[in-house]
PDB file of all heavy atoms in Angstrom:
ATOM      1  N   ASP D1436       3.983  -3.417   4.355  1.00 98.00           N
ATOM      2  CA  ASP D1436       3.745  -3.866   5.721  1.00 98.00           C
ATOM      3  C   ASP D1436       4.816  -4.856   6.175  1.00 98.00           C
ATOM      4  O   ASP D1436       5.291  -4.806   7.315  1.00 98.00           O
ATOM      5  CB  ASP D1436       2.364  -4.512   5.831  1.00 98.00           C
ATOM      6  CG  ASP D1436       1.234  -3.505   5.695  1.00 98.00           C
ATOM      7  OD1 ASP D1436       1.447  -2.326   6.046  1.00 98.00           O
ATOM      8  OD2 ASP D1436       0.149  -3.894   5.234  1.00 98.00           O
ATOM      9  N   VAL D1437       5.185  -5.768   5.283  1.00 98.00           N
ATOM     10  CA  VAL D1437       6.243  -6.725   5.607  1.00 98.00           C
ATOM     11  C   VAL D1437       7.560  -5.986   5.847  1.00 98.00           C
ATOM     12  O   VAL D1437       8.293  -6.283   6.802  1.00 98.00           O
ATOM     13  CB  VAL D1437       6.406  -7.762   4.476  1.00 98.00           C
ATOM     14  CG1 VAL D1437       7.621  -8.656   4.725  1.00 98.00           C
ATOM     15  CG2 VAL D1437       5.144  -8.612   4.344  1.00 98.00           C
ATOM     16  N   ALA D1438       7.850  -5.011   4.980  1.00 98.00           N
ATOM     17  CA  ALA D1438       9.081  -4.228   5.137  1.00 98.00           C
ATOM     18  C   ALA D1438       9.058  -3.430   6.435  1.00 98.00           C
ATOM     19  O   ALA D1438      10.095  -3.246   7.084  1.00 98.00           O
ATOM     20  CB  ALA D1438       9.260  -3.293   3.944  1.00 98.00           C
ATOM     21  N   ASN D1439       7.874  -2.962   6.841  1.00 98.00           N
ATOM     22  CA  ASN D1439       7.765  -2.203   8.086  1.00 98.00           C
ATOM     23  C   ASN D1439       8.106  -3.064   9.301  1.00 98.00           C
ATOM     24  O   ASN D1439       8.761  -2.596  10.238  1.00 98.00           O
ATOM     25  CB  ASN D1439       6.351  -1.638   8.238  1.00 98.00           C
ATOM     26  CG  ASN D1439       6.091  -0.462   7.325  1.00 98.00           C
ATOM     27  OD1 ASN D1439       7.016   0.166   6.820  1.00 98.00           O
ATOM     28  ND2 ASN D1439       4.827  -0.158   7.099  1.00 98.00           N
ATOM     29  N   VAL D1440       7.645  -4.309   9.282  1.00 97.00           N
ATOM     30  CA  VAL D1440       7.960  -5.219  10.389  1.00 97.00           C
ATOM     31  C   VAL D1440       9.468  -5.395  10.499  1.00 97.00           C
ATOM     32  O   VAL D1440      10.048  -5.336  11.594  1.00 97.00           O
ATOM     33  CB  VAL D1440       7.261  -6.574  10.187  1.00 97.00           C
ATOM     34  CG1 VAL D1440       7.750  -7.581  11.231  1.00 97.00           C
ATOM     35  CG2 VAL D1440       5.751  -6.420  10.272  1.00 97.00           C
ATOM     36  N   ARG D1441      10.101  -5.604   9.361  1.00 96.00           N
ATOM     37  CA  ARG D1441      11.550  -5.774   9.367  1.00 96.00           C
ATOM     38  C   ARG D1441      12.255  -4.509   9.840  1.00 96.00           C
ATOM     39  O   ARG D1441      13.222  -4.578  10.611  1.00 96.00           O
ATOM     40  CB  ARG D1441      12.026  -6.140   7.961  1.00 96.00           C
ATOM     41  CG  ARG D1441      13.534  -6.326   7.858  1.00 96.00           C
ATOM     42  CD  ARG D1441      13.944  -6.620   6.440  1.00 96.00           C
ATOM     43  NE  ARG D1441      15.398  -6.728   6.323  1.00 96.00           N
ATOM     44  CZ  ARG D1441      16.046  -6.861   5.176  1.00 96.00           C
ATOM     45  NH1 ARG D1441      15.367  -6.908   4.037  1.00 96.00           N
ATOM     46  NH2 ARG D1441      17.357  -6.953   5.148  1.00 96.00           N
ATOM     47  N   LEU D1442      11.766  -3.345   9.402  1.00 97.00           N
ATOM     48  CA  LEU D1442      12.400  -2.088   9.789  1.00 97.00           C
ATOM     49  C   LEU D1442      12.255  -1.825  11.284  1.00 97.00           C
ATOM     50  O   LEU D1442      13.211  -1.400  11.947  1.00 97.00           O
ATOM     51  CB  LEU D1442      11.795  -0.933   8.990  1.00 97.00           C
ATOM     52  CG  LEU D1442      12.343   0.467   9.285  1.00 97.00           C
ATOM     53  CD1 LEU D1442      13.841   0.537   8.982  1.00 97.00           C
ATOM     54  CD2 LEU D1442      11.587   1.522   8.480  1.00 97.00           C
ATOM     55  N   VAL D1443      11.068  -2.069  11.824  1.00 97.00           N
ATOM     56  CA  VAL D1443      10.850  -1.856  13.259  1.00 97.00           C
ATOM     57  C   VAL D1443      11.745  -2.791  14.066  1.00 97.00           C
ATOM     58  O   VAL D1443      12.357  -2.381  15.060  1.00 97.00           O
ATOM     59  CB  VAL D1443       9.371  -2.072  13.616  1.00 97.00           C
ATOM     60  CG1 VAL D1443       9.183  -2.075  15.133  1.00 97.00           C
ATOM     61  CG2 VAL D1443       8.501  -0.976  12.990  1.00 97.00           C
ATOM     62  N   ARG D1444      11.834  -4.032  13.653  1.00 96.00           N
ATOM     63  CA  ARG D1444      12.665  -4.991  14.382  1.00 96.00           C
ATOM     64  C   ARG D1444      14.142  -4.619  14.331  1.00 96.00           C
ATOM     65  O   ARG D1444      14.836  -4.627  15.362  1.00 96.00           O
ATOM     66  CB  ARG D1444      12.456  -6.392  13.811  1.00 96.00           C
ATOM     67  CG  ARG D1444      11.125  -7.032  14.186  1.00 96.00           C
ATOM     68  CD  ARG D1444      11.007  -8.417  13.581  1.00 96.00           C
ATOM     69  NE  ARG D1444       9.799  -9.099  14.018  1.00 96.00           N
ATOM     70  CZ  ARG D1444       9.407 -10.296  13.588  1.00 96.00           C
ATOM     71  NH1 ARG D1444      10.170 -10.951  12.709  1.00 96.00           N
ATOM     72  NH2 ARG D1444       8.310 -10.846  14.042  1.00 96.00           N
ATOM     73  N   SER D1445      14.627  -4.298  13.144  1.00 95.00           N
ATOM     74  CA  SER D1445      16.050  -3.987  13.011  1.00 95.00           C
ATOM     75  C   SER D1445      16.398  -2.684  13.716  1.00 95.00           C
ATOM     76  O   SER D1445      17.483  -2.545  14.284  1.00 95.00           O
ATOM     77  CB  SER D1445      16.443  -3.914  11.529  1.00 95.00           C
ATOM     78  OG  SER D1445      15.676  -2.945  10.834  1.00 95.00           O
ATOM     79  N   THR D1446      15.478  -1.728  13.711  1.00 97.00           N
ATOM     80  CA  THR D1446      15.722  -0.466  14.408  1.00 97.00           C
ATOM     81  C   THR D1446      15.670  -0.659  15.913  1.00 97.00           C
ATOM     82  O   THR D1446      16.511  -0.126  16.650  1.00 97.00           O
ATOM     83  CB  THR D1446      14.691   0.598  13.981  1.00 97.00           C
ATOM     84  OG1 THR D1446      14.727   0.758  12.557  1.00 97.00           O
ATOM     85  CG2 THR D1446      14.992   1.939  14.635  1.00 97.00           C
ATOM     86  N   SER D1447      14.704  -1.429  16.390  1.00 96.00           N
ATOM     87  CA  SER D1447      14.569  -1.681  17.821  1.00 96.00           C
ATOM     88  C   SER D1447      15.768  -2.433  18.379  1.00 96.00           C
ATOM     89  O   SER D1447      16.128  -2.253  19.553  1.00 96.00           O
ATOM     90  CB  SER D1447      13.286  -2.469  18.102  1.00 96.00           C
ATOM     91  OG  SER D1447      12.138  -1.746  17.718  1.00 96.00           O
ATOM     92  N   ALA D1448      16.371  -3.280  17.550  1.00 94.00           N
ATOM     93  CA  ALA D1448      17.538  -4.024  18.000  1.00 94.00           C
ATOM     94  C   ALA D1448      18.712  -3.100  18.284  1.00 94.00           C
ATOM     95  O   ALA D1448      19.599  -3.424  19.087  1.00 94.00           O
ATOM     96  CB  ALA D1448      17.936  -5.060  16.946  1.00 94.00           C
ATOM     97  N   VAL D1449      18.710  -1.941  17.636  1.00 95.00           N
ATOM     98  CA  VAL D1449      19.777  -0.961  17.835  1.00 95.00           C
ATOM     99  C   VAL D1449      19.396   0.069  18.897  1.00 95.00           C
ATOM    100  O   VAL D1449      20.199   0.430  19.759  1.00 95.00           O
ATOM    101  CB  VAL D1449      20.101  -0.248  16.504  1.00 95.00           C
ATOM    102  CG1 VAL D1449      21.107   0.869  16.720  1.00 95.00           C
ATOM    103  CG2 VAL D1449      20.626  -1.248  15.489  1.00 95.00           C
ATOM    104  N   ASP D1450      18.140   0.544  18.822  1.00 96.00           N
ATOM    105  CA  ASP D1450      17.684   1.577  19.749  1.00 96.00           C
ATOM    106  C   ASP D1450      16.168   1.445  19.920  1.00 96.00           C
ATOM    107  O   ASP D1450      15.414   1.639  18.959  1.00 96.00           O
ATOM    108  CB  ASP D1450      18.041   2.964  19.217  1.00 96.00           C
ATOM    109  CG  ASP D1450      17.715   4.069  20.195  1.00 96.00           C
ATOM    110  OD1 ASP D1450      18.573   4.403  21.023  1.00 96.00           O
ATOM    111  OD2 ASP D1450      16.591   4.593  20.121  1.00 96.00           O
ATOM    112  N   ARG D1451      15.733   1.120  21.125  1.00 96.00           N
ATOM    113  CA  ARG D1451      14.314   0.878  21.357  1.00 96.00           C
ATOM    114  C   ARG D1451      13.484   2.141  21.182  1.00 96.00           C
ATOM    115  O   ARG D1451      12.344   2.082  20.715  1.00 96.00           O
ATOM    116  CB  ARG D1451      14.109   0.308  22.760  1.00 96.00           C
ATOM    117  CG  ARG D1451      14.634  -1.107  22.924  1.00 96.00           C
ATOM    118  CD  ARG D1451      14.297  -1.649  24.305  1.00 96.00           C
ATOM    119  NE  ARG D1451      14.800  -3.016  24.460  1.00 96.00           N
ATOM    120  CZ  ARG D1451      14.650  -3.734  25.569  1.00 96.00           C
ATOM    121  NH1 ARG D1451      14.022  -3.201  26.615  1.00 96.00           N
ATOM    122  NH2 ARG D1451      15.126  -4.965  25.633  1.00 96.00           N
ATOM    123  N   THR D1452      14.014   3.279  21.538  1.00 96.00           N
ATOM    124  CA  THR D1452      13.273   4.532  21.373  1.00 96.00           C
ATOM    125  C   THR D1452      12.984   4.796  19.902  1.00 96.00           C
ATOM    126  O   THR D1452      11.866   5.173  19.531  1.00 96.00           O
ATOM    127  CB  THR D1452      14.070   5.707  21.969  1.00 96.00           C
ATOM    128  OG1 THR D1452      14.289   5.465  23.365  1.00 96.00           O
ATOM    129  CG2 THR D1452      13.320   7.020  21.791  1.00 96.00           C
ATOM    130  N   ALA D1453      13.971   4.594  19.057  1.00 97.00           N
ATOM    131  CA  ALA D1453      13.773   4.778  17.613  1.00 97.00           C
ATOM    132  C   ALA D1453      12.781   3.761  17.084  1.00 97.00           C
ATOM    133  O   ALA D1453      11.946   4.080  16.230  1.00 97.00           O
ATOM    134  CB  ALA D1453      15.112   4.652  16.888  1.00 97.00           C
ATOM    135  N   GLY D1454      12.854   2.525  17.577  1.00 96.00           N
ATOM    136  CA  GLY D1454      11.917   1.497  17.133  1.00 96.00           C
ATOM    137  C   GLY D1454      10.488   1.839  17.500  1.00 96.00           C
ATOM    138  O   GLY D1454       9.571   1.671  16.676  1.00 96.00           O
ATOM    139  N   ARG D1455      10.281   2.339  18.711  1.00 97.00           N
ATOM    140  CA  ARG D1455       8.927   2.731  19.127  1.00 97.00           C
ATOM    141  C   ARG D1455       8.408   3.907  18.314  1.00 97.00           C
ATOM    142  O   ARG D1455       7.198   4.017  18.064  1.00 97.00           O
ATOM    143  CB  ARG D1455       8.915   3.069  20.620  1.00 97.00           C
ATOM    144  CG  ARG D1455       9.015   1.860  21.536  1.00 97.00           C
ATOM    145  CD  ARG D1455       8.677   2.239  22.969  1.00 97.00           C
ATOM    146  NE  ARG D1455       9.667   3.143  23.534  1.00 97.00           N
ATOM    147  CZ  ARG D1455      10.721   2.756  24.236  1.00 97.00           C
ATOM    148  NH1 ARG D1455      10.927   1.461  24.443  1.00 97.00           N
ATOM    149  NH2 ARG D1455      11.564   3.642  24.739  1.00 97.00           N
ATOM    150  N   ALA D1456       9.293   4.794  17.896  1.00 97.00           N
ATOM    151  CA  ALA D1456       8.877   5.955  17.097  1.00 97.00           C
ATOM    152  C   ALA D1456       8.326   5.537  15.732  1.00 97.00           C
ATOM    153  O   ALA D1456       7.602   6.312  15.104  1.00 97.00           O
ATOM    154  CB  ALA D1456      10.054   6.909  16.916  1.00 97.00           C
ATOM    155  N   LEU D1457       8.665   4.341  15.289  1.00 98.00           N
ATOM    156  CA  LEU D1457       8.191   3.850  13.995  1.00 98.00           C
ATOM    157  C   LEU D1457       6.810   3.203  14.071  1.00 98.00           C
ATOM    158  O   LEU D1457       6.188   2.956  13.031  1.00 98.00           O
ATOM    159  CB  LEU D1457       9.182   2.830  13.423  1.00 98.00           C
ATOM    160  CG  LEU D1457      10.545   3.368  12.995  1.00 98.00           C
ATOM    161  CD1 LEU D1457      11.483   2.209  12.647  1.00 98.00           C
ATOM    162  CD2 LEU D1457      10.404   4.314  11.806  1.00 98.00           C
ATOM    163  N   LEU D1458       6.328   2.917  15.264  1.00 98.00           N
ATOM    164  CA  LEU D1458       5.061   2.191  15.398  1.00 98.00           C
ATOM    165  C   LEU D1458       3.859   2.938  14.808  1.00 98.00           C
ATOM    166  O   LEU D1458       3.020   2.316  14.150  1.00 98.00           O
ATOM    167  CB  LEU D1458       4.817   1.844  16.871  1.00 98.00           C
ATOM    168  CG  LEU D1458       5.804   0.830  17.469  1.00 98.00           C
ATOM    169  CD1 LEU D1458       5.479   0.584  18.944  1.00 98.00           C
ATOM    170  CD2 LEU D1458       5.786  -0.477  16.689  1.00 98.00           C
ATOM    171  N   PRO D1459       3.713   4.266  15.023  1.00 98.00           N
ATOM    172  CA  PRO D1459       2.582   4.956  14.371  1.00 98.00           C
ATOM    173  C   PRO D1459       2.636   4.855  12.848  1.00 98.00           C
ATOM    174  O   PRO D1459       1.593   4.715  12.193  1.00 98.00           O
ATOM    175  CB  PRO D1459       2.738   6.403  14.853  1.00 98.00           C
ATOM    176  CG  PRO D1459       3.483   6.294  16.139  1.00 98.00           C
ATOM    177  CD  PRO D1459       4.447   5.166  15.933  1.00 98.00           C
ATOM    178  N   TYR D1460       3.829   4.936  12.277  1.00 98.00           N
ATOM    179  CA  TYR D1460       3.996   4.804  10.826  1.00 98.00           C
ATOM    180  C   TYR D1460       3.546   3.423  10.365  1.00 98.00           C
ATOM    181  O   TYR D1460       2.791   3.286   9.391  1.00 98.00           O
ATOM    182  CB  TYR D1460       5.459   5.052  10.475  1.00 98.00           C
ATOM    183  CG  TYR D1460       5.875   4.636   9.075  1.00 98.00           C
ATOM    184  CD1 TYR D1460       5.440   5.345   7.962  1.00 98.00           C
ATOM    185  CD2 TYR D1460       6.708   3.534   8.882  1.00 98.00           C
ATOM    186  CE1 TYR D1460       5.830   4.962   6.680  1.00 98.00           C
ATOM    187  CE2 TYR D1460       7.103   3.154   7.610  1.00 98.00           C
ATOM    188  CZ  TYR D1460       6.662   3.865   6.517  1.00 98.00           C
ATOM    189  OH  TYR D1460       7.044   3.487   5.249  1.00 98.00           O
ATOM    190  N   ALA D1461       3.988   2.382  11.074  1.00 98.00           N
ATOM    191  CA  ALA D1461       3.610   1.015  10.699  1.00 98.00           C
ATOM    192  C   ALA D1461       2.105   0.805  10.851  1.00 98.00           C
ATOM    193  O   ALA D1461       1.472   0.146  10.018  1.00 98.00           O
ATOM    194  CB  ALA D1461       4.386   0.014  11.551  1.00 98.00           C
ATOM    195  N   ALA D1462       1.516   1.378  11.909  1.00 98.00           N
ATOM    196  CA  ALA D1462       0.084   1.233  12.134  1.00 98.00           C
ATOM    197  C   ALA D1462      -0.724   1.927  11.041  1.00 98.00           C
ATOM    198  O   ALA D1462      -1.734   1.391  10.555  1.00 98.00           O
ATOM    199  CB  ALA D1462      -0.287   1.796  13.507  1.00 98.00           C
ATOM    200  N   TRP D1463      -0.293   3.115  10.636  1.00 97.00           N
ATOM    201  CA  TRP D1463      -1.002   3.835   9.578  1.00 97.00           C
ATOM    202  C   TRP D1463      -0.915   3.076   8.259  1.00 97.00           C
ATOM    203  O   TRP D1463      -1.878   3.039   7.489  1.00 97.00           O
ATOM    204  CB  TRP D1463      -0.447   5.238   9.431  1.00 97.00           C
ATOM    205  CG  TRP D1463      -1.032   5.996   8.269  1.00 97.00           C
ATOM    206  CD1 TRP D1463      -0.429   6.286   7.087  1.00 97.00           C
ATOM    207  CD2 TRP D1463      -2.365   6.534   8.176  1.00 97.00           C
ATOM    208  NE1 TRP D1463      -1.279   6.975   6.257  1.00 97.00           N
ATOM    209  CE2 TRP D1463      -2.487   7.139   6.903  1.00 97.00           C
ATOM    210  CE3 TRP D1463      -3.447   6.547   9.052  1.00 97.00           C
ATOM    211  CZ2 TRP D1463      -3.659   7.752   6.497  1.00 97.00           C
ATOM    212  CZ3 TRP D1463      -4.624   7.177   8.633  1.00 97.00           C
ATOM    213  CH2 TRP D1463      -4.710   7.767   7.366  1.00 97.00           C
ATOM    214  N   CYS D1464       0.213   2.464   7.981  1.00 97.00           N
ATOM    215  CA  CYS D1464       0.357   1.677   6.749  1.00 97.00           C
ATOM    216  C   CYS D1464      -0.578   0.472   6.762  1.00 97.00           C
ATOM    217  O   CYS D1464      -1.114   0.086   5.717  1.00 97.00           O
ATOM    218  CB  CYS D1464       1.808   1.233   6.564  1.00 97.00           C
ATOM    219  SG  CYS D1464       2.931   2.571   6.126  1.00 97.00           S
ATOM    220  N   LEU D1465      -0.778  -0.136   7.937  1.00 98.00           N
ATOM    221  CA  LEU D1465      -1.742  -1.237   8.042  1.00 98.00           C
ATOM    222  C   LEU D1465      -3.157  -0.738   7.753  1.00 98.00           C
ATOM    223  O   LEU D1465      -3.941  -1.415   7.068  1.00 98.00           O
ATOM    224  CB  LEU D1465      -1.684  -1.859   9.437  1.00 98.00           C
ATOM    225  CG  LEU D1465      -0.492  -2.766   9.727  1.00 98.00           C
ATOM    226  CD1 LEU D1465      -0.480  -3.158  11.204  1.00 98.00           C
ATOM    227  CD2 LEU D1465      -0.527  -4.020   8.845  1.00 98.00           C
ATOM    228  N   PHE D1466      -3.479   0.443   8.263  1.00 97.00           N
ATOM    229  CA  PHE D1466      -4.780   1.032   7.960  1.00 97.00           C
ATOM    230  C   PHE D1466      -4.910   1.294   6.461  1.00 97.00           C
ATOM    231  O   PHE D1466      -5.963   1.045   5.866  1.00 97.00           O
ATOM    232  CB  PHE D1466      -4.953   2.331   8.738  1.00 97.00           C
ATOM    233  CG  PHE D1466      -6.198   3.098   8.356  1.00 97.00           C
ATOM    234  CD1 PHE D1466      -7.434   2.728   8.835  1.00 97.00           C
ATOM    235  CD2 PHE D1466      -6.116   4.193   7.490  1.00 97.00           C
ATOM    236  CE1 PHE D1466      -8.579   3.427   8.475  1.00 97.00           C
ATOM    237  CE2 PHE D1466      -7.248   4.889   7.116  1.00 97.00           C
ATOM    238  CZ  PHE D1466      -8.493   4.511   7.612  1.00 97.00           C
ATOM    239  N   ALA D1467      -3.832   1.799   5.847  1.00 96.00           N
ATOM    240  CA  ALA D1467      -3.849   2.063   4.402  1.00 96.00           C
ATOM    241  C   ALA D1467      -4.053   0.773   3.620  1.00 96.00           C
ATOM    242  O   ALA D1467      -4.722   0.765   2.580  1.00 96.00           O
ATOM    243  CB  ALA D1467      -2.544   2.741   3.982  1.00 96.00           C
ATOM    244  N   THR D1468      -3.493  -0.323   4.099  1.00 97.00           N
ATOM    245  CA  THR D1468      -3.688  -1.610   3.435  1.00 97.00           C
ATOM    246  C   THR D1468      -5.149  -2.025   3.493  1.00 97.00           C
ATOM    247  O   THR D1468      -5.717  -2.487   2.496  1.00 97.00           O
ATOM    248  CB  THR D1468      -2.810  -2.691   4.091  1.00 97.00           C
ATOM    249  OG1 THR D1468      -1.430  -2.309   3.986  1.00 97.00           O
ATOM    250  CG2 THR D1468      -3.002  -4.040   3.416  1.00 97.00           C
ATOM    251  N   ALA D1469      -5.765  -1.868   4.670  1.00 98.00           N
ATOM    252  CA  ALA D1469      -7.178  -2.207   4.817  1.00 98.00           C
ATOM    253  C   ALA D1469      -8.044  -1.334   3.907  1.00 98.00           C
ATOM    254  O   ALA D1469      -8.988  -1.819   3.267  1.00 98.00           O
ATOM    255  CB  ALA D1469      -7.606  -2.051   6.268  1.00 98.00           C
ATOM    256  N   LEU D1470      -7.720  -0.057   3.827  1.00 97.00           N
ATOM    257  CA  LEU D1470      -8.468   0.856   2.968  1.00 97.00           C
ATOM    258  C   LEU D1470      -8.289   0.485   1.506  1.00 97.00           C
ATOM    259  O   LEU D1470      -9.253   0.458   0.730  1.00 97.00           O
ATOM    260  CB  LEU D1470      -7.997   2.285   3.208  1.00 97.00           C
ATOM    261  CG  LEU D1470      -8.622   3.378   2.335  1.00 97.00           C
ATOM    262  CD1 LEU D1470     -10.131   3.387   2.480  1.00 97.00           C
ATOM    263  CD2 LEU D1470      -8.038   4.746   2.693  1.00 97.00           C
ATOM    264  N   ASN D1471      -7.057   0.195   1.117  1.00 97.00           N
ATOM    265  CA  ASN D1471      -6.770  -0.178  -0.266  1.00 97.00           C
ATOM    266  C   ASN D1471      -7.510  -1.458  -0.648  1.00 97.00           C
ATOM    267  O   ASN D1471      -8.064  -1.590  -1.748  1.00 97.00           O
ATOM    268  CB  ASN D1471      -5.266  -0.352  -0.433  1.00 97.00           C
ATOM    269  CG  ASN D1471      -4.820  -0.316  -1.891  1.00 97.00           C
ATOM    270  OD1 ASN D1471      -3.690   0.031  -2.200  1.00 97.00           O
ATOM    271  ND2 ASN D1471      -5.698  -0.712  -2.802  1.00 97.00           N
ATOM    272  N   LEU D1472      -7.525  -2.432   0.273  1.00 97.00           N
ATOM    273  CA  LEU D1472      -8.221  -3.691   0.013  1.00 97.00           C
ATOM    274  C   LEU D1472      -9.719  -3.463  -0.140  1.00 97.00           C
ATOM    275  O   LEU D1472     -10.375  -4.057  -1.003  1.00 97.00           O
ATOM    276  CB  LEU D1472      -7.947  -4.678   1.141  1.00 97.00           C
ATOM    277  CG  LEU D1472      -8.574  -6.069   0.995  1.00 97.00           C
ATOM    278  CD1 LEU D1472      -8.080  -6.753  -0.275  1.00 97.00           C
ATOM    279  CD2 LEU D1472      -8.246  -6.930   2.212  1.00 97.00           C
ATOM    280  N   SER D1473     -10.267  -2.572   0.684  1.00 97.00           N
ATOM    281  CA  SER D1473     -11.682  -2.248   0.564  1.00 97.00           C
ATOM    282  C   SER D1473     -11.990  -1.607  -0.784  1.00 97.00           C
ATOM    283  O   SER D1473     -12.988  -1.937  -1.431  1.00 97.00           O
ATOM    284  CB  SER D1473     -12.094  -1.302   1.699  1.00 97.00           C
ATOM    285  OG  SER D1473     -13.456  -0.924   1.583  1.00 97.00           O
ATOM    286  N   LEU D1474     -11.123  -0.705  -1.231  1.00 97.00           N
ATOM    287  CA  LEU D1474     -11.313  -0.076  -2.542  1.00 97.00           C
ATOM    288  C   LEU D1474     -11.263  -1.107  -3.661  1.00 97.00           C
ATOM    289  O   LEU D1474     -12.042  -1.047  -4.622  1.00 97.00           O
ATOM    290  CB  LEU D1474     -10.250   0.995  -2.765  1.00 97.00           C
ATOM    291  CG  LEU D1474     -10.392   2.282  -1.952  1.00 97.00           C
ATOM    292  CD1 LEU D1474      -9.140   3.136  -2.082  1.00 97.00           C
ATOM    293  CD2 LEU D1474     -11.616   3.069  -2.424  1.00 97.00           C
ATOM    294  N   ALA D1475     -10.344  -2.059  -3.561  1.00 96.00           N
ATOM    295  CA  ALA D1475     -10.215  -3.077  -4.591  1.00 96.00           C
ATOM    296  C   ALA D1475     -11.464  -3.959  -4.652  1.00 96.00           C
ATOM    297  O   ALA D1475     -11.948  -4.303  -5.736  1.00 96.00           O
ATOM    298  CB  ALA D1475      -8.972  -3.933  -4.341  1.00 96.00           C
ATOM    299  N   ARG D1476     -11.988  -4.310  -3.498  1.00 96.00           N
ATOM    300  CA  ARG D1476     -13.176  -5.170  -3.452  1.00 96.00           C
ATOM    301  C   ARG D1476     -14.429  -4.433  -3.895  1.00 96.00           C
ATOM    302  O   ARG D1476     -15.314  -5.033  -4.517  1.00 96.00           O
ATOM    303  CB  ARG D1476     -13.360  -5.714  -2.047  1.00 96.00           C
ATOM    304  CG  ARG D1476     -12.325  -6.770  -1.668  1.00 96.00           C
ATOM    305  CD  ARG D1476     -12.503  -7.223  -0.235  1.00 96.00           C
ATOM    306  NE  ARG D1476     -11.650  -8.365   0.079  1.00 96.00           N
ATOM    307  CZ  ARG D1476     -11.538  -8.900   1.283  1.00 96.00           C
ATOM    308  NH1 ARG D1476     -12.225  -8.374   2.302  1.00 96.00           N
ATOM    309  NH2 ARG D1476     -10.746  -9.936   1.481  1.00 96.00           N
TER     310      ARG D1476
END
């Protein structure tokens, strides 16, 4: 998730369209983190 934030920012700084295309990927990874945390608990 931390790496995704950096990737979205660095990509958006070069091309906003490419940066926006990464948002669904970053959002799904956040969901995966929540799911993983639930499994661990």
Side-chain angles (χ1 to χ4, degrees):
D1436 290 332
V1437 173
N1439 285 341
V1440 172
R1441 179 183 177 186
L1442 179 61
V1443 171
R1444 286 180 175 176
S1445 58
T1446 304
S1447 298
V1449 174
D1450 186 89
R1451 290 185 180 180
T1452 300
R1455 287 193 294 267
L1457 292 172
L1458 293 179
Y1460 166 71
W1463 174 254
C1464 289
L1465 284 173
F1466 173 79
T1468 300
L1470 177 58
N1471 198 154
L1472 182 60
S1473 178
L1474 288 170
R1476 288 177 172 175

